[in-house]
Amino acid sequence: MRVLLDQNLSPKLIRMLADILPGLESVYDHDLTGSSDRFIFEWARRSEFSALVTTDRDLVRLAERFGPPPKVIRLERCDFPSRTIELLLRREAVRICAFLESNRAVLLLSL
């Protein structure tokens, strides 16, 4: 299952979370930095990503409007370091896996 990190999240998370999200990639890996949210959402859909991880509300609106794929995992009020984000995603790993298997379009996570 492929999951894409939005540009507002460090690509260092790929290595940090490889054991729980082995299909994790970053927009930095695909030269998508600076692209619009709509472009990234549509690119992720065409590229068969299951989900996007973001702090951006606009991607939530796109998932609600157009439906998945990709699903959107939004980290709410996220202005903390990568290590804190890693711990949040680890804490929510079971919930994230269930979400990826569900019919839902959006998962909101917060500390």
Side-chain angles (χ1 to χ4, degrees):
M1 194 167 300
R2 295 174 75 197
V3 177
L4 185 66
L5 288 174
D6 195 12
Q7 62 192 354
N8 47 21
L9 297 168
S10 173
K12 294 176 187 175
L13 289 165
I14 295 169
R15 181 180 32 78
M16 297 164 81
L17 297 166
D19 60 322
I20 63 168
L21 287 171
L24 195 58
E25 299 176 41
S26 172
V27 295
Y28 292 94
D29 299 327
H30 300 283
D31 295 323
L32 296 171
T33 55
S35 298
S36 71
D37 292 331
R38 178 83 183 249
F39 183 88
I40 290 171
F41 185 86
E42 291 173 356
W43 182 89
R45 177 176 282 191
R46 284 190 314 273
S47 300
E48 299 181 355
F49 278 86
S50 301
L52 283 163
V53 181
T54 187
T55 62
D56 195 331
R57 232 176 268 167
D58 292 334
L59 286 166
V60 169
R61 289 185 195 106
L62 289 168
E64 290 172 341
R65 181 174 176 199
F66 297 110
K71 297 174 179 226
V72 172
I73 300 168
R74 179 168 183 259
L75 310 179
E76 295 186 292
R77 295 180 292 282
C78 180
D79 59 353
F80 21 86
S82 295
R83 176 71 176 139
T84 305
I85 295 169
E86 175 195 8
L87 294 174
L88 169 64
L89 294 174
R90 285 185 180 286
R91 182 188 79 197
E92 299 291 347
V94 171
R95 206 167 142 212
I96 291 168
C97 288
F99 166 70
L100 292 173
E101 298 297 327
S102 77
N103 295 343
R104 295 177 25 223
V106 175
L107 175 65
L108 303 176
L109 300 177
S110 59
L111 276 180

